Amino acid sequence: MSNNLYYLGIDIGGTSTKYGIVDDNGTLVYKNNTSTLPHDTFDSLFETVWNDIKKQRFTIHSIGIGAPNGNYYSGKIENAPNLKWKGEIDVCRIGKKISEHEVSLTNDANAAAIGEKQFGKAKMMKDFVVITLGTGLGSGFYVNNTLLYGSNGMAGEAGHITIFPGGRLCSCGRKGCLEEYVSAKGIKKTVLEFKHEFHDSVLNQYQEERLNPLLVFEAAQQQDKLALKVFDYTAEILALGLTTIINITAPEAIFLLGGISSAGNQLFIPLQRYMEQYALSIFKNKTLILPSGLEPDTAGILGAAALAKGQHTL
Amino acid sequence: MSNNLYYLGIDIGGTSTKYGIVDDNGTLVYKNNTSTLPHDTFDSLFETVWNDIKKQRFTIHSIGIGAPNGNYYSGKIENAPNLKWKGEIDVCRIGKKISEHEVSLTNDANAAAIGEKQFGKAKMMKDFVVITLGTGLGSGFYVNNTLLYGSNGMAGEAGHITIFPGGRLCSCGRKGCLEEYVSAKGIKKTVLEFKHEFHDSVLNQYQEERLNPLLVFEAAQQQDKLALKVFDYTAEILALGLTTIINITAPEAIFLLGGISSAGNQLFIPLQRYMEQYALSIFKNKTLILPSGLEPDTAGILGAAALAKGQHTL
């Protein structure tokens, strides 16, 4: 064992919770996951994770948690729509009581931004944004070298920028939100919206439930016209959302993590073209649009560990 | 003469430049203005202002300038579309050479935000936004107690948030921008768009050039149906823009300055209703929407003076 410090990062999602032990350099030295669903309380989930970690041969310095609606200021998960624990869950207090270690909390997209800053491509950047593309769309903002929490700890909800007033109904109850167009659920809706124009598309063979961004990507690589249309449309809507973000915070870079961003140039080439078209002239070519420096399946763990590290070394 | 410190604030607009001497408490002790248009160079304008200031019996400590496209980082006015000085004007260097005083620059809406922080209603706030409503729409953001400049000094262009993709053509060359709906020019466009539905409106008697927010406000107070429709529509679009801002920076308050915000409850009552309708649930009732604590005709001077003061006392 070295003299390295080790941090436990826990990435809580609606169905699965990933966790791991990360050293000072951002190396993931142990990784595991458990299903979130069977745990009726956060206490039960945290005990499961902690019992596993105790068996490993690493001395944990502190613990970070990234979770939907995780509020850094309050240390509570507040009314997360995709978790079954309702109301406000005091996860920092509960985690500390069980583990006897300091526990920090932030939301999952903020954790990804902290990970990008400490272990990814944003080490030298003061102003950047990480957009996480999964079932929904999350975002974490660094402004002037500090994570943007706003007055109530909940800043950075770019997934709910209104793109089309009166547009697609969002799970938040509002209409026309960015995430209803560019997340996995949004892409599925786009396929369904355009499929009647492309009868010979391979995507028509899939039942609605089975459609996902990976299938669309594979079809696009085969030059399937529906898939190419879906990529073009998604890139255009994403560009509209990103230009709004740039108009407000003028970041040096926006990093895309997971979901359709894994399609690489299939997304980034049309996205760059639409960014050129939609950017305000003073912002043209000022903000880099890049894939994240982290891997989608471990970014949440690294980010949560980076949160723990940041709390104790800054 | 007291031992007070005095600051010169200069508020450069496309047609008129207002300036004044402000003491440490934000009291405007001298105020004047000059036409911007006759001056072929910034040097000429600045000399005119400085020659007038030198005649006053106040010892100036430092100078602040608020101007369209004023970049705090570079100290230059950069390609301002509504000024006839083209390219980049190194106003801080020129002003210092002429006056032998330190000169600071920011854009006009940022100046208003600094004024709100130092002399207005935001003294105790760390996260807030000022929206300036004039011919266009400007915005200045405080984030974590610091003015938001972003990576290039140009952050805070909320006037160019896209509200309707493919909507009204904006002077920036893009379509559907917020300012094309809620600024003075936007309100005129809204009147023209809806007037055919309201043949008996008093607003129909005015030629297009004469229409302005004040006439619409006066008509609304007489319960003119077209004017009421215009206020309702404007409030709805503004609410869509403000919810996007709140989703990103989660401010404690958004202050509205000038333009249609001078209409008071005629705007704020429908605006509050639409904010309720369009706000993301986690942000409902979290952000105050208030009239600015400064007066539209002096806010720019006070803000520029506050910039000068901030540079030398913080």
Side-chain angles (χ1 to χ4, degrees):
Chain A
M1 299 283 297
S2 73
N3 287 324
N4 241 329
L5 287 174
Y6 295 97
Y7 307 93
L8 169 59
I10 307 176
D11 175 21
I12 300 178
T15 50
S16 168
T17 292
K18 302 170 200 159
Y19 57 96
I21 300 172
V22 177
D23 74 10
D24 244 352
N25 303 314
T27 305
L28 191 59
V29 296
Y30 175 75
K31 185 179 134 188
N32 204 346
N33 66 77
T34 183
S35 175
T36 313
L37 295 166
H39 297 283
D40 289 330
T41 61
F42 169 76
D43 309 54
S44 162
L45 173 70
F46 190 90
E47 271 170 5
T48 301
V49 171
W50 187 243
N51 286 336
D52 180 31
I53 293 298
K54 279 193 291 188
K55 292 180 204 148
Q56 313 312 319
R57 297 173 52 252
F58 298 97
T59 306
I60 300 298
H61 187 275
S62 51
I63 300 169
I65 299 176
N69 286 32
N71 188 325
Y72 173 74
Y73 288 157
S74 69
K76 295 175 182 175
I77 294 174
E78 300 181 356
N79 307 301
N82 58 342
L83 295 176
K84 67 176 177 182
W85 318 318
K86 295 305 164 202
E88 299 189 350
I89 319 293
D90 199 346
V91 303
C92 287
R93 191 184 55 77
I94 296 166
K96 185 175 181 177
K97 192 171 162 193
I98 294 171
S99 68
E100 297 178 338
H101 284 69
E102 289 298 325
V103 179
S104 308
L105 172 72
T106 195
N107 85 33
D108 38 4
N110 287 342
I114 297 168
E116 200 71 47
K117 175 77 178 169
Q118 293 219 18
F119 305 128
K121 293 181 181 167
K123 285 176 188 164
M124 306 298 287
M125 294 184 184
K126 292 170 70 179
D127 298 270
F128 68 93
V129 180
V130 173
I131 304 282
T132 60
L133 291 158
T135 311
L137 184 155
S139 61
F141 286 65
Y142 264 79
V143 162
N144 203 18
N145 225 23
T146 307
L147 197 72
L148 174 60
Y149 283 113
S151 60
N152 52 26
M154 304 301 259
E157 288 288 348
H160 300 285
I161 292 174
T162 305
I163 297 290
F164 292 114
R168 294 180 184 170
L169 182 63
C170 184
S171 54
C172 74
R174 298 153 70 247
K175 284 183 177 173
C177 293
L178 180 60
E179 79 169 22
E180 287 300 321
Y181 297 85
V182 302
S183 66
K185 64 179 172 175
I187 288 174
K188 185 187 284 194
K189 286 185 179 180
T190 302
V191 171
L192 297 174
E193 192 172 312
F194 290 119
K195 65 187 288 185
H196 65 280
E197 298 173 29
F198 300 90
H199 292 291
D200 54 353
S201 166
V202 297
L203 296 174
N204 285 310
Q205 69 185 279
Y206 298 105
Q207 287 183 302
E208 189 176 328
E209 312 80 71
R210 286 197 54 211
L211 280 171
N212 63 50
L214 181 62
L215 288 174
V216 181
F217 171 52
E218 288 169 352
Q221 291 210 299
Q222 303 302 317
Q223 302 301 311
D224 181 277
K225 289 199 168 60
L226 171 55
L228 292 172
K229 169 76 183 175
V230 170
F231 266 95
D232 187 77
Y233 183 76
T234 306
E236 181 169 9
I237 306 297
L238 184 54
L240 283 166
L242 299 188
T243 53
T244 288
I245 287 172
I246 293 170
N247 286 347
I248 294 180
T249 69
E252 185 176 348
I254 299 177
F255 298 98
L256 304 181
L257 176 68
I260 196 175
S261 73
S262 307
N265 282 344
Q266 200 77 53
L267 175 72
F268 282 91
I269 288 174
L271 179 59
Q272 208 63 55
R273 192 176 72 241
Y274 283 116
M275 290 302 296
E276 277 304 289
Q277 180 179 334
Y278 288 124
L280 198 57
S281 64
I282 55 168
F283 292 126
K284 273 195 205 300
N285 298 312
K286 293 255 170 87
T287 300
L288 299 165
I289 312 293
L290 297 170
S292 165
L294 306 180
E295 296 300 319
D297 61 331
T298 55
I301 300 172
L302 284 167
L307 173 70
K309 173 170 144 80
Q311 295 305 307
H312 296 276
T313 60
L314 290 182
Chain B
M1 300 283 298
S2 74
N3 287 325
N4 239 331
L5 288 173
Y6 295 98
Y7 306 92
L8 169 58
I10 307 176
D11 174 20
I12 300 178
T15 51
S16 169
T17 292
K18 303 171 199 160
Y19 58 96
I21 300 171
V22 178
D23 75 9
D24 243 354
N25 304 313
T27 305
L28 191 60
V29 296
Y30 175 74
K31 183 179 132 187
N32 205 344
N33 65 77
T34 184
S35 175
T36 312
L37 295 168
H39 297 283
D40 289 328
T41 60
F42 169 76
D43 308 56
S44 164
L45 172 70
F46 190 88
E47 270 169 5
T48 301
V49 171
W50 187 245
N51 286 335
D52 181 31
I53 293 299
K54 280 194 291 189
K55 292 181 203 144
Q56 314 312 319
R57 298 175 50 254
F58 297 97
T59 305
I60 300 298
H61 187 274
S62 50
I63 300 169
I65 299 176
N69 286 33
N71 188 326
Y72 173 75
Y73 287 157
S74 69
K76 296 175 181 175
I77 295 175
E78 300 181 357
N79 307 301
N82 57 343
L83 295 175
K84 65 175 175 181
W85 317 319
K86 294 306 164 201
E88 298 190 351
I89 320 292
D90 198 347
V91 304
C92 288
R93 192 184 55 78
I94 296 167
K96 185 174 181 178
K97 192 171 163 192
I98 294 170
S99 69
E100 297 177 339
H101 283 70
E102 290 298 324
V103 180
S104 309
L105 171 73
T106 196
N107 87 32
D108 38 4
N110 286 342
I114 297 169
E116 200 71 48
K117 175 76 179 169
Q118 292 220 16
F119 304 130
K121 293 179 182 169
K123 285 176 189 164
M124 306 298 286
M125 294 184 185
K126 292 171 69 179
D127 298 271
F128 67 95
V129 180
V130 173
I131 304 283
T132 60
L133 292 158
T135 311
L137 183 155
S139 61
F141 286 66
Y142 264 80
V143 163
N144 203 18
N145 222 24
T146 306
L147 197 70
L148 173 61
Y149 282 113
S151 60
N152 52 26
M154 305 302 259
E157 289 288 347
H160 300 284
I161 292 174
T162 305
I163 297 290
F164 291 114
R168 293 180 185 172
L169 182 63
C170 183
S171 54
C172 74
R174 297 154 70 249
K175 286 184 174 173
C177 292
L178 180 61
E179 79 169 23
E180 287 300 321
Y181 295 85
V182 303
S183 67
K185 64 179 173 174
I187 288 173
K188 185 188 283 194
K189 285 185 179 181
T190 302
V191 171
L192 297 174
E193 191 172 314
F194 290 119
K195 64 187 289 188
H196 65 279
E197 297 174 28
F198 300 91
H199 292 291
D200 54 352
S201 166
V202 298
L203 295 175
N204 285 309
Q205 70 183 279
Y206 298 105
Q207 289 183 300
E208 189 176 325
E209 312 80 72
R210 284 198 54 213
L211 280 172
N212 63 49
L214 182 62
L215 288 174
V216 181
F217 172 52
E218 288 170 353
Q221 291 211 300
Q222 304 303 316
Q223 302 301 311
D224 181 276
K225 288 197 171 59
L226 172 55
L228 293 173
K229 169 75 183 174
V230 170
F231 265 95
D232 186 77
Y233 184 77
T234 306
E236 182 169 10
I237 307 295
L238 184 54
L240 282 166
L242 299 188
T243 52
T244 287
I245 288 171
I246 293 170
N247 285 349
I248 294 179
T249 69
E252 186 175 348
I254 298 177
F255 298 99
L256 304 181
L257 176 68
I260 196 175
S261 74
S262 307
N265 283 344
Q266 199 77 54
L267 175 71
F268 282 90
I269 289 174
L271 179 58
Q272 207 65 54
R273 193 176 71 242
Y274 283 115
M275 290 302 296
E276 277 305 289
Q277 181 178 334
Y278 288 124
L280 197 58
S281 64
I282 55 168
F283 292 126
K284 273 195 205 299
N285 298 311
K286 293 254 169 87
T287 300
L288 299 166
I289 312 292
L290 297 170
S292 165
L294 306 179
E295 295 299 320
D297 62 329
T298 56
I301 301 173
L302 284 167
L307 174 68
K309 174 170 143 79
Q311 293 307 306
H312 296 276
T313 57
L314 291 183

